[in-house]
Amino acid sequence: MPRVVVDVMLKPEILDPQGQAVQRALERLGFDRVTSVRQGKRFEIEIAEPGAADAGPAGSGAAVELGRDMAAKLLANTVIEDFTVRIEDAAGGAG
Amino acid sequence: MTRIGVVTFPGSLDDRDAARAVRLAGGEPVRLWHRDTDLAGVEAIILPGGFSYGDYLRTGAIARFSPVMGSVISAAGRGVPVLGICNGFQILCESHLLPGALTRNNHLHFICRDQRLRIESSRTVWTAGYQPGAEIVIPVKNGEGRYVADRDTLARLDGDGLVVARYLHGNPNGSVADIAGITNPAGNVVGLMPHPEHAVEALTGPGTDGLGFFTSVLRRLVPA
C-alpha cells in the first residue's frame, strides 16, 4: 500500500512567527548556531491499492498525482504555502 | 422585511451576535446551517466569526468545502451581498472570493480590544452608509488576523480602491499596509477582521459604530 507524504511549508517570503519563537527557544537552550527555523506541516496519507475494477493507472506515479491534487485542493493554501509530494513504502523508507 | 442569512459552522461563535445585529438594524436574520445547500431565499449572507472546524488545517480551510459554501460562492457570483467577519473573512480568502490570506499574528498573541479603524471605501454594499475616511471603533479579537498578499495583489487592492478599512493607532496583528478589510471589485463581497456585530448598542459594546455595516446593506436591498 503506497503512503503519500505531503510536506507543506510557508513560502519563504511569508513571515513565520511560530518558527521564530521556536528559534528563540532553541537559542535559550544553548543551541547558539541556529540561524533560522521554519515550521511546516507533514501529512502521511495511506492510499488503497487500486482494485481489479479500477481501470486507472496504478503505481507510485498515480499516487504522486493524487497527492499533488489533494495538496493543491486542500492540504496547502498556495497563496501562502508551497508543498512537496513523495511516496514512502509501508516500512517507512523512501520509495 | 429583508431577510439576511447568518451561517453557523461547527465552531462558529458570533453567529448569534451577527443575527442580533441584523435584527437591531431592522432586518430579519435567517439562520443557515453549514450542511444547507438551500439558502432559503435570503437577500444577503453573513459568515460570522469563530473557529469553524476547530481551525484545523488552516483557519477557514475546511469550512470552505462545507455544503453551504458551494451555494454562497455561486450567490456571491450573482452579486448577492456577502460579509465575512473574522473567521468569515478567513473563509472568504480560502474560497478565493477575496484575494490574499490571513496568517498568524506577528506577535503570536491572541488580541482582543476595541480598535479604531478608518473606513477607506463607501463603495461596497456593506459600507455605503459610512462617509469615506470615517473613523469608527469596534472590537477586534483574533489570533490569525495578519492579512498578507503578494505585491501585485496589494497594488491592485490599492489602485482599485478595494481596501475597505485600515487599522488606526496601532496595527493589532501585523497586517500588511494596516489592512483590516477588503472587498471584491463588484463591492458585494466584503471581508473584515474586526467585529462590527459587537458594536451595535452601547450596553454591550464600545458604541454603535458597527451598526452601519448592517444598515448599509439593508438600505441597499430596500430601494427607497
Side-chain angles (χ1 to χ4, degrees):
Chain A
M1 180 186 293
R3 168 186 285 173
V4 179
V5 178
V6 179
D7 286 307
V8 177
M9 293 296 297
L10 281 172
K11 291 186 178 190
E13 66 270 25
I14 301 289
L15 178 73
D16 178 14
Q18 290 186 105
Q20 291 176 343
V22 172
Q23 179 180 347
R24 288 194 291 274
L26 288 171
E27 287 165 358
R28 282 197 297 278
L29 288 171
F31 295 101
D32 54 5
R33 293 173 59 200
V34 177
T35 59
S36 172
V37 177
R38 306 281 292 174
Q39 181 176 322
K41 301 188 188 102
R42 171 186 164 111
F43 301 88
E44 298 180 348
I45 303 165
E46 310 292 339
I47 308 283
E49 295 286 0
D54 289 319
S60 64
V64 167
E65 278 311 305
L66 207 55
R68 284 202 188 107
D69 197 21
M70 290 187 280
K73 282 201 174 104
L74 179 64
L75 305 180
N77 178 350
T78 55
V79 173
I80 51 169
E81 294 170 324
D82 294 324
F83 63 84
T84 59
V85 179
R86 66 182 191 279
I87 304 298
E88 279 184 0
D89 62 32
Chain B
M1 191 178 284
T2 306
R3 302 168 78 240
I4 298 186
V6 178
V7 178
T8 299
F9 298 95
S12 292
L13 283 183
D14 301 322
D15 42 341
R16 283 163 187 263
D17 282 39
R20 194 157 161 279
V22 167
R23 196 175 305 114
L24 287 170
E28 178 190 347
V30 176
R31 306 299 295 273
L32 300 172
W33 183 233
H34 68 115
R35 288 206 179 117
D36 293 342
T37 51
D38 177 2
L39 297 178
V42 297
E43 294 175 70
I45 301 157
I46 296 173
L47 305 181
F51 300 86
S52 59
Y53 298 89
D55 276 354
Y56 297 158
L57 186 61
R58 294 178 306 278
T59 58
I62 297 178
R64 177 256 175 275
F65 290 103
S66 60
V68 74
M69 282 308 297
S71 305
V72 170
I73 289 167
S74 55
R78 294 194 305 271
V80 171
V82 178
L83 173 65
I85 302 167
C86 195
N87 189 221
F89 187 8
Q90 295 161 340
I91 295 168
L92 290 175
C93 286
E94 282 282 342
S95 305
H96 303 301
L97 287 173
L98 293 174
L102 292 143
T103 59
R104 195 165 295 266
N105 294 352
N106 59 347
H107 46 68
L108 286 172
H109 298 286
F110 189 97
I111 195 156
C112 180
R113 71 182 189 204
D114 296 337
Q115 176 72 45
R116 183 169 291 271
L117 305 177
R118 184 172 56 237
I119 301 294
E120 300 280 20
S121 171
S122 308
R123 292 191 303 164
T124 85
V125 297
W126 296 97
T127 56
Y130 292 99
Q131 293 296 320
E135 294 190 12
I136 65 171
V137 176
I138 64 176
V140 67
K141 47 167 196 171
N142 64 68
E144 302 193 38
R146 178 170 51 100
Y147 183 75
V148 297
D150 62 39
R151 195 174 300 167
D152 291 349
T153 303
L154 288 172
R156 187 161 46 82
L157 289 175
D158 261 333
D160 296 350
L162 303 180
V163 175
V164 170
R166 283 188 219 269
Y167 300 114
L168 290 180
H169 303 177
N171 181 330
N173 47 37
S175 272
V176 64
D178 296 332
I179 287 173
I182 60 172
T183 185
N184 64 341
N188 65 310
V189 178
V190 168
L192 187 72
M193 214 56 215
H195 290 262
E197 82 283 15
H198 294 332
V200 292
E201 56 183 359
L203 180 65
T204 54
T208 58
D209 287 357
L211 200 56
F213 282 83
F214 309 95
T215 52
S216 292
V217 74
L218 287 167
R219 204 169 301 136
R220 183 65 64 92
L221 291 169
V222 184

